[in-house]
Amino acid sequence: MKTKHIAPAKAIHPGEILMDELEAREISQKEFAIKLGIQPTQLNEIIKGKRGITAEHAVLIGKGLNMEPIVWQNLQSLYELDRVIINERTQNRLVAIEEWDKIKNFIPEKYLKKMGAICGDPVHDLPYIKEFYDLNTLEELPAVYQKTESFLNRKSTKNTVDKINLMGWVNLIKATAKNIQIEKFDHRKEKEIITGLKKILANNKDTIEKCKKLLASYGINLITLKHPEKCAVDGVCFWSNKNPTIGLSIRYKRIDNFSFTLFHELGHIFCHLRENKETQFIDVELSMDTDHSKAEKEADQYAMDQLINPTSWENYVTLPNRLEKKSMVKFAQLEGVHPAVVKGRLCFELNSYTIKVDIDNLLG
């Protein structure tokens, strides 16, 4: 079996090995040169790497040290081969550094390093970036961000979204989804999925992992990934292979926010992605002052209606004691949701987050 020759970081001239050999045998250069019948300066040039070992030198050195001449001839050949390989490797690195400098302003370098996606070595990272953004050539990278606007279905007026960081986050979700194998998705199981999730959310213990496990059993990926700086993204939804995928940033560690955002993305799956597997929905900054697209309004409504029966909610908001803790807890039990979801819905609709009701909303 042939073995691949791997060049060292530095090519070692056979003269260095010859010097070590002479020192080990306590033979002076002058003494050895006389023995070989060559000028001491010629031997010194070989030892210092200024002159190569010819076939004649290999025979003489081999005889003088009682070694096979082929050893020295091979050392010279390997040295010359290593020099060629190292030079080529250096040239490749120079090209890679130059290419990286051209694209570094189009990728969230700091975020990708922090997440362990890239290591900072252009030779290693450039092929990864091409695959990461699904590019044929690196010249296509700027065009990635021209498409971003069509995916931003919810546009915040409060926060400016850094598109480079945003697409870095989205593509990390996609890269993760590609490596996950789960059950086949069946949209007919929608009611079972909703019922199972509501039980988990109402209990609020090890919530994220239990939701991931349940959704995976029905063929839906749920991936959580911290958002980068200057990127108020809450979620993304798309198809990965034959499975729908939800990505959440969990910017707020609250059960009400997590519940609504998760169900919002489920709304995209059951209302929109079933008919269009080529699109994706990126949702940023779920807030009152946001410009909502038609799809976002539908996903919002889906989340509200699936978490709390709309007729029941209409009746509840007319109650005079609706803002009391006891009333919220009782209604939440009837609807099978966490009390924080009821409080959060009230705060949202009243556009007031100062309702003083002691309900723990920490995501469990």
PDB file of all heavy atoms in Angstrom, residues 159 227 232-234 249-258 261 285-287 361-363:
ATOM      1  N   ASN A 159     -35.060  47.953  16.247  1.00  0.00           N
ATOM      2  CA  ASN A 159     -33.700  47.452  16.104  1.00  0.00           C
ATOM      3  C   ASN A 159     -33.279  47.333  14.648  1.00  0.00           C
ATOM      4  O   ASN A 159     -34.047  46.839  13.819  1.00  0.00           O
ATOM      5  CB  ASN A 159     -33.572  46.070  16.771  1.00  0.00           C
ATOM      6  CG  ASN A 159     -33.792  46.133  18.252  1.00  0.00           C
ATOM      7  OD1 ASN A 159     -33.004  46.708  18.987  1.00  0.00           O
ATOM      8  ND2 ASN A 159     -34.898  45.548  18.713  1.00  0.00           N
ATOM      9  N   HIS A 227     -28.205  34.026  19.479  1.00  0.00           N
ATOM     10  CA  HIS A 227     -28.113  34.999  18.394  1.00  0.00           C
ATOM     11  C   HIS A 227     -26.815  35.801  18.506  1.00  0.00           C
ATOM     12  O   HIS A 227     -26.279  35.994  19.598  1.00  0.00           O
ATOM     13  CB  HIS A 227     -29.305  35.956  18.433  1.00  0.00           C
ATOM     14  CG  HIS A 227     -29.339  36.804  19.682  1.00  0.00           C
ATOM     15  ND1 HIS A 227     -28.789  38.060  19.742  1.00  0.00           N
ATOM     16  CD2 HIS A 227     -29.849  36.553  20.903  1.00  0.00           C
ATOM     17  CE1 HIS A 227     -28.952  38.551  20.957  1.00  0.00           C
ATOM     18  NE2 HIS A 227     -29.594  37.666  21.685  1.00  0.00           N
ATOM     19  N   ALA A 232     -31.497  41.137  16.447  1.00  0.00           N
ATOM     20  CA  ALA A 232     -32.661  40.835  17.289  1.00  0.00           C
ATOM     21  C   ALA A 232     -33.566  39.825  16.589  1.00  0.00           C
ATOM     22  O   ALA A 232     -34.722  40.095  16.278  1.00  0.00           O
ATOM     23  CB  ALA A 232     -33.420  42.116  17.594  1.00  0.00           C
ATOM     24  N   VAL A 233     -33.024  38.643  16.320  1.00  0.00           N
ATOM     25  CA  VAL A 233     -33.788  37.606  15.640  1.00  0.00           C
ATOM     26  C   VAL A 233     -34.380  36.665  16.679  1.00  0.00           C
ATOM     27  O   VAL A 233     -33.727  36.294  17.658  1.00  0.00           O
ATOM     28  CB  VAL A 233     -32.905  36.825  14.644  1.00  0.00           C
ATOM     29  CG1 VAL A 233     -31.739  36.130  15.331  1.00  0.00           C
ATOM     30  CG2 VAL A 233     -33.737  35.827  13.853  1.00  0.00           C
ATOM     31  N   ASP A 234     -35.641  36.298  16.492  1.00  0.00           N
ATOM     32  CA  ASP A 234     -36.313  35.376  17.401  1.00  0.00           C
ATOM     33  C   ASP A 234     -36.380  33.965  16.837  1.00  0.00           C
ATOM     34  O   ASP A 234     -36.213  32.994  17.566  1.00  0.00           O
ATOM     35  CB  ASP A 234     -37.721  35.881  17.710  1.00  0.00           C
ATOM     36  CG  ASP A 234     -37.705  37.054  18.664  1.00  0.00           C
ATOM     37  OD1 ASP A 234     -37.337  36.864  19.823  1.00  0.00           O
ATOM     38  OD2 ASP A 234     -38.044  38.170  18.230  1.00  0.00           O
ATOM     39  N   SER A 249     -33.724  31.561  18.876  1.00  0.00           N
ATOM     40  CA  SER A 249     -32.559  32.167  19.536  1.00  0.00           C
ATOM     41  C   SER A 249     -32.718  32.230  21.048  1.00  0.00           C
ATOM     42  O   SER A 249     -31.738  32.402  21.763  1.00  0.00           O
ATOM     43  CB  SER A 249     -32.340  33.587  18.999  1.00  0.00           C
ATOM     44  OG  SER A 249     -33.403  34.437  19.397  1.00  0.00           O
ATOM     45  N   ILE A 250     -33.931  32.115  21.549  1.00  0.00           N
ATOM     46  CA  ILE A 250     -34.240  32.208  22.994  1.00  0.00           C
ATOM     47  C   ILE A 250     -33.621  33.485  23.562  1.00  0.00           C
ATOM     48  O   ILE A 250     -32.896  33.469  24.560  1.00  0.00           O
ATOM     49  CB  ILE A 250     -33.736  30.971  23.783  1.00  0.00           C
ATOM     50  CG1 ILE A 250     -33.940  29.690  22.986  1.00  0.00           C
ATOM     51  CG2 ILE A 250     -34.442  30.893  25.136  1.00  0.00           C
ATOM     52  CD1 ILE A 250     -35.354  29.282  22.796  1.00  0.00           C
ATOM     53  N   ARG A 251     -33.888  34.608  22.905  1.00  0.00           N
ATOM     54  CA  ARG A 251     -33.346  35.883  23.400  1.00  0.00           C
ATOM     55  C   ARG A 251     -33.883  36.219  24.785  1.00  0.00           C
ATOM     56  O   ARG A 251     -33.198  36.839  25.590  1.00  0.00           O
ATOM     57  CB  ARG A 251     -33.697  37.017  22.427  1.00  0.00           C
ATOM     58  CG  ARG A 251     -32.991  36.930  21.093  1.00  0.00           C
ATOM     59  CD  ARG A 251     -33.062  38.237  20.328  1.00  0.00           C
ATOM     60  NE  ARG A 251     -34.438  38.641  20.069  1.00  0.00           N
ATOM     61  CZ  ARG A 251     -34.922  39.835  20.383  1.00  0.00           C
ATOM     62  NH1 ARG A 251     -34.170  40.719  21.007  1.00  0.00           N
ATOM     63  NH2 ARG A 251     -36.174  40.136  20.082  1.00  0.00           N
ATOM     64  N   TYR A 252     -35.128  35.836  25.021  1.00  0.00           N
ATOM     65  CA  TYR A 252     -35.729  36.077  26.335  1.00  0.00           C
ATOM     66  C   TYR A 252     -35.953  34.724  27.009  1.00  0.00           C
ATOM     67  O   TYR A 252     -36.586  33.843  26.437  1.00  0.00           O
ATOM     68  CB  TYR A 252     -37.062  36.812  26.189  1.00  0.00           C
ATOM     69  CG  TYR A 252     -36.955  38.093  25.406  1.00  0.00           C
ATOM     70  CD1 TYR A 252     -37.438  38.180  24.108  1.00  0.00           C
ATOM     71  CD2 TYR A 252     -36.358  39.217  25.966  1.00  0.00           C
ATOM     72  CE1 TYR A 252     -37.338  39.354  23.380  1.00  0.00           C
ATOM     73  CE2 TYR A 252     -36.245  40.395  25.241  1.00  0.00           C
ATOM     74  CZ  TYR A 252     -36.736  40.460  23.957  1.00  0.00           C
ATOM     75  OH  TYR A 252     -36.624  41.622  23.234  1.00  0.00           O
ATOM     76  N   LYS A 253     -35.468  34.575  28.206  1.00  0.00           N
ATOM     77  CA  LYS A 253     -35.596  33.292  28.912  1.00  0.00           C
ATOM     78  C   LYS A 253     -36.950  33.212  29.623  1.00  0.00           C
ATOM     79  O   LYS A 253     -37.034  32.925  30.816  1.00  0.00           O
ATOM     80  CB  LYS A 253     -34.456  33.136  29.924  1.00  0.00           C
ATOM     81  CG  LYS A 253     -33.066  33.412  29.386  1.00  0.00           C
ATOM     82  CD  LYS A 253     -32.670  32.421  28.303  1.00  0.00           C
ATOM     83  CE  LYS A 253     -31.240  32.687  27.822  1.00  0.00           C
ATOM     84  NZ  LYS A 253     -30.826  31.788  26.739  1.00  0.00           N
ATOM     85  N   ARG A 254     -38.020  33.475  28.863  1.00  0.00           N
ATOM     86  CA  ARG A 254     -39.355  33.495  29.448  1.00  0.00           C
ATOM     87  C   ARG A 254     -40.230  32.427  28.798  1.00  0.00           C
ATOM     88  O   ARG A 254     -40.199  32.249  27.578  1.00  0.00           O
ATOM     89  CB  ARG A 254     -40.012  34.857  29.274  1.00  0.00           C
ATOM     90  CG  ARG A 254     -39.250  36.031  29.860  1.00  0.00           C
ATOM     91  CD  ARG A 254     -40.160  37.242  30.019  1.00  0.00           C
ATOM     92  NE  ARG A 254     -41.026  37.451  28.872  1.00  0.00           N
ATOM     93  CZ  ARG A 254     -40.818  38.368  27.924  1.00  0.00           C
ATOM     94  NH1 ARG A 254     -39.738  39.147  27.993  1.00  0.00           N
ATOM     95  NH2 ARG A 254     -41.660  38.509  26.923  1.00  0.00           N
ATOM     96  N   ILE A 255     -41.042  31.764  29.612  1.00  0.00           N
ATOM     97  CA  ILE A 255     -41.899  30.712  29.092  1.00  0.00           C
ATOM     98  C   ILE A 255     -42.969  31.268  28.157  1.00  0.00           C
ATOM     99  O   ILE A 255     -43.330  30.626  27.168  1.00  0.00           O
ATOM    100  CB  ILE A 255     -42.547  29.917  30.252  1.00  0.00           C
ATOM    101  CG1 ILE A 255     -43.385  28.754  29.713  1.00  0.00           C
ATOM    102  CG2 ILE A 255     -43.362  30.822  31.154  1.00  0.00           C
ATOM    103  CD1 ILE A 255     -42.602  27.728  28.933  1.00  0.00           C
ATOM    104  N   ASP A 256     -43.472  32.477  28.437  1.00  0.00           N
ATOM    105  CA  ASP A 256     -44.499  33.049  27.561  1.00  0.00           C
ATOM    106  C   ASP A 256     -43.927  33.396  26.190  1.00  0.00           C
ATOM    107  O   ASP A 256     -44.541  33.125  25.156  1.00  0.00           O
ATOM    108  CB  ASP A 256     -45.152  34.273  28.211  1.00  0.00           C
ATOM    109  CG  ASP A 256     -44.148  35.363  28.553  1.00  0.00           C
ATOM    110  OD1 ASP A 256     -43.013  35.040  28.936  1.00  0.00           O
ATOM    111  OD2 ASP A 256     -44.512  36.559  28.443  1.00  0.00           O
ATOM    112  N   ASN A 257     -42.727  33.981  26.169  1.00  0.00           N
ATOM    113  CA  ASN A 257     -42.096  34.330  24.899  1.00  0.00           C
ATOM    114  C   ASN A 257     -41.733  33.076  24.110  1.00  0.00           C
ATOM    115  O   ASN A 257     -41.951  32.997  22.891  1.00  0.00           O
ATOM    116  CB  ASN A 257     -40.849  35.177  25.153  1.00  0.00           C
ATOM    117  CG  ASN A 257     -40.159  35.592  23.866  1.00  0.00           C
ATOM    118  OD1 ASN A 257     -39.273  34.898  23.390  1.00  0.00           O
ATOM    119  ND2 ASN A 257     -40.576  36.717  23.295  1.00  0.00           N
ATOM    120  N   PHE A 258     -41.183  32.081  24.811  1.00  0.00           N
ATOM    121  CA  PHE A 258     -40.809  30.829  24.153  1.00  0.00           C
ATOM    122  C   PHE A 258     -42.044  30.137  23.566  1.00  0.00           C
ATOM    123  O   PHE A 258     -42.025  29.659  22.427  1.00  0.00           O
ATOM    124  CB  PHE A 258     -40.114  29.895  25.138  1.00  0.00           C
ATOM    125  CG  PHE A 258     -39.762  28.553  24.572  1.00  0.00           C
ATOM    126  CD1 PHE A 258     -38.646  28.403  23.768  1.00  0.00           C
ATOM    127  CD2 PHE A 258     -40.553  27.437  24.838  1.00  0.00           C
ATOM    128  CE1 PHE A 258     -38.320  27.157  23.225  1.00  0.00           C
ATOM    129  CE2 PHE A 258     -40.236  26.199  24.305  1.00  0.00           C
ATOM    130  CZ  PHE A 258     -39.121  26.056  23.501  1.00  0.00           C
ATOM    131  N   THR A 261     -43.370  32.177  20.461  1.00  0.00           N
ATOM    132  CA  THR A 261     -42.455  32.110  19.313  1.00  0.00           C
ATOM    133  C   THR A 261     -42.457  30.721  18.695  1.00  0.00           C
ATOM    134  O   THR A 261     -42.461  30.575  17.465  1.00  0.00           O
ATOM    135  CB  THR A 261     -41.026  32.491  19.739  1.00  0.00           C
ATOM    136  OG1 THR A 261     -41.044  33.751  20.400  1.00  0.00           O
ATOM    137  CG2 THR A 261     -40.104  32.578  18.531  1.00  0.00           C
ATOM    138  N   GLU A 285     -37.608  40.493  16.172  1.00  0.00           N
ATOM    139  CA  GLU A 285     -38.238  41.430  17.110  1.00  0.00           C
ATOM    140  C   GLU A 285     -39.763  41.396  17.084  1.00  0.00           C
ATOM    141  O   GLU A 285     -40.417  42.238  16.464  1.00  0.00           O
ATOM    142  CB  GLU A 285     -37.775  42.864  16.824  1.00  0.00           C
ATOM    143  CG  GLU A 285     -38.117  43.870  17.912  1.00  0.00           C
ATOM    144  CD  GLU A 285     -37.465  43.546  19.246  1.00  0.00           C
ATOM    145  OE1 GLU A 285     -36.431  42.850  19.247  1.00  0.00           O
ATOM    146  OE2 GLU A 285     -37.975  43.989  20.275  1.00  0.00           O
ATOM    147  N   LEU A 286     -40.327  40.397  17.743  1.00  0.00           N
ATOM    148  CA  LEU A 286     -41.780  40.319  17.858  1.00  0.00           C
ATOM    149  C   LEU A 286     -42.259  41.449  18.764  1.00  0.00           C
ATOM    150  O   LEU A 286     -42.113  41.392  19.974  1.00  0.00           O
ATOM    151  CB  LEU A 286     -42.186  38.968  18.462  1.00  0.00           C
ATOM    152  CG  LEU A 286     -41.685  37.723  17.721  1.00  0.00           C
ATOM    153  CD1 LEU A 286     -42.084  36.481  18.472  1.00  0.00           C
ATOM    154  CD2 LEU A 286     -42.237  37.681  16.317  1.00  0.00           C
ATOM    155  N   SER A 287     -42.829  42.497  18.204  1.00  0.00           N
ATOM    156  CA  SER A 287     -43.228  43.647  19.006  1.00  0.00           C
ATOM    157  C   SER A 287     -44.434  44.347  18.395  1.00  0.00           C
ATOM    158  O   SER A 287     -44.805  44.117  17.260  1.00  0.00           O
ATOM    159  CB  SER A 287     -42.064  44.630  19.147  1.00  0.00           C
ATOM    160  OG  SER A 287     -41.671  45.104  17.877  1.00  0.00           O
ATOM    161  N   ASN A 361     -42.337  33.635  35.284  1.00  0.00           N
ATOM    162  CA  ASN A 361     -42.328  33.381  33.840  1.00  0.00           C
ATOM    163  C   ASN A 361     -40.978  32.878  33.328  1.00  0.00           C
ATOM    164  O   ASN A 361     -40.732  32.849  32.128  1.00  0.00           O
ATOM    165  CB  ASN A 361     -42.733  34.658  33.084  1.00  0.00           C
ATOM    166  CG  ASN A 361     -41.718  35.772  33.237  1.00  0.00           C
ATOM    167  OD1 ASN A 361     -40.725  35.644  33.964  1.00  0.00           O
ATOM    168  ND2 ASN A 361     -41.956  36.898  32.570  1.00  0.00           N
ATOM    169  N   LEU A 362     -40.096  32.478  34.229  1.00  0.00           N
ATOM    170  CA  LEU A 362     -38.773  31.984  33.827  1.00  0.00           C
ATOM    171  C   LEU A 362     -38.901  30.671  33.092  1.00  0.00           C
ATOM    172  O   LEU A 362     -39.583  29.745  33.556  1.00  0.00           O
ATOM    173  CB  LEU A 362     -37.875  31.834  35.051  1.00  0.00           C
ATOM    174  CG  LEU A 362     -36.411  31.451  34.772  1.00  0.00           C
ATOM    175  CD1 LEU A 362     -35.712  32.575  34.032  1.00  0.00           C
ATOM    176  CD2 LEU A 362     -35.673  31.130  36.074  1.00  0.00           C
ATOM    177  N   LEU A 363     -38.227  30.566  31.956  1.00  0.00           N
ATOM    178  CA  LEU A 363     -38.259  29.332  31.164  1.00  0.00           C
ATOM    179  C   LEU A 363     -37.564  28.214  31.912  1.00  0.00           C
ATOM    180  O   LEU A 363     -36.392  28.334  32.292  1.00  0.00           O
ATOM    181  CB  LEU A 363     -37.566  29.584  29.824  1.00  0.00           C
ATOM    182  CG  LEU A 363     -37.514  28.420  28.832  1.00  0.00           C
ATOM    183  CD1 LEU A 363     -38.917  27.971  28.430  1.00  0.00           C
ATOM    184  CD2 LEU A 363     -36.722  28.821  27.590  1.00  0.00           C
TER     185      LEU A 363
END
